[in-house]
Amino acid sequence: MAGSEKPSRLIVMGVTGCGKSTIGAALAEALDAPFLDGDDYHPPANVAKMSAGQPLTDSDRWPWLDRLGEVMESTVGKAGRAVMACSALRRAYRDRLAAACAAPPTFLHLSGPRDLIHRRLAVRSNHFMPPALLESQFSTLEPISPEESALVLPIDGQVAETVDSIIRQLRLSDAHSA
């Protein structure tokens, strides 16, 4: 991760059930920054499609990703920093989000084994994304490439440990790049 300033645009990414909203909200609270859940910005047609067990297509995602970029920029403009949860599974989706931002976002990829995530999904309620779509998420997921501004984080720890790790790594990154 390069850059001389602390990142102001943090995007917590990964497959459904990896903990994006939980980690994102806790990170935002620790940083005293607004938290934006990308799921809140899906149009009704996307929610209906996923609720019916149908994966989204790229044509479903592009307008949603553009909207997320607009919301990120508006929030950073007002608050100076924002944390967003967004699956951003493919490099093209991350590139689309980055292009919509005035400065490059830092992606925080929450990564873990299928069986752990499946167990989490089995006990989750009140979410439109059914566990049946987990395999389509893993099929879509493209690994972070070295040129992307990103951290890859395991999901097997406690929330506070993960948040502390993110903050520590971002500070270390800043210290080494100064």
Side-chain angles (χ1 to χ4, degrees), residues 43-162:
N46 284 9
V47 173
K49 195 171 187 179
M50 289 182 286
S51 295
Q54 299 172 2
L56 298 180
T57 65
D58 285 353
S59 62
D60 297 322
R61 285 187 185 95
W62 297 135
W64 172 66
L65 291 166
D66 292 340
R67 176 73 180 126
L68 293 181
E70 293 168 8
V71 170
M72 175 66 84
E73 282 310 302
S74 174
T75 304
V76 169
K78 294 173 189 166
R81 173 176 279 175
V83 177
M84 176 181 282
C86 173
S87 53
L89 298 175
R90 290 186 49 221
R91 172 72 187 262
Y93 306 157
R94 297 187 294 271
D95 288 347
R96 185 86 172 223
L97 280 167
C101 293
T106 298
F107 291 94
L108 307 169
H109 178 200
L110 301 181
S111 182
R114 279 179 172 84
D115 62 329
L116 172 59
I117 295 170
H118 195 275
R119 285 193 307 271
R120 288 180 176 186
L121 289 174
V123 298
R124 182 167 79 172
S125 61
N126 299 323
H127 195 277
F128 57 80
M129 185 72 139
L133 287 180
L134 180 60
E135 282 309 311
S136 74
Q137 294 253 304
F138 272 109
S139 295
T140 302
L141 179 64
E142 293 176 356
I144 297 292
S145 65
E147 63 272 3
E148 290 182 88
S149 179
L151 297 175
V152 178
L153 304 142
I155 62 167
D156 56 356
Q158 298 296 315
V159 172
E161 293 169 348
T162 303

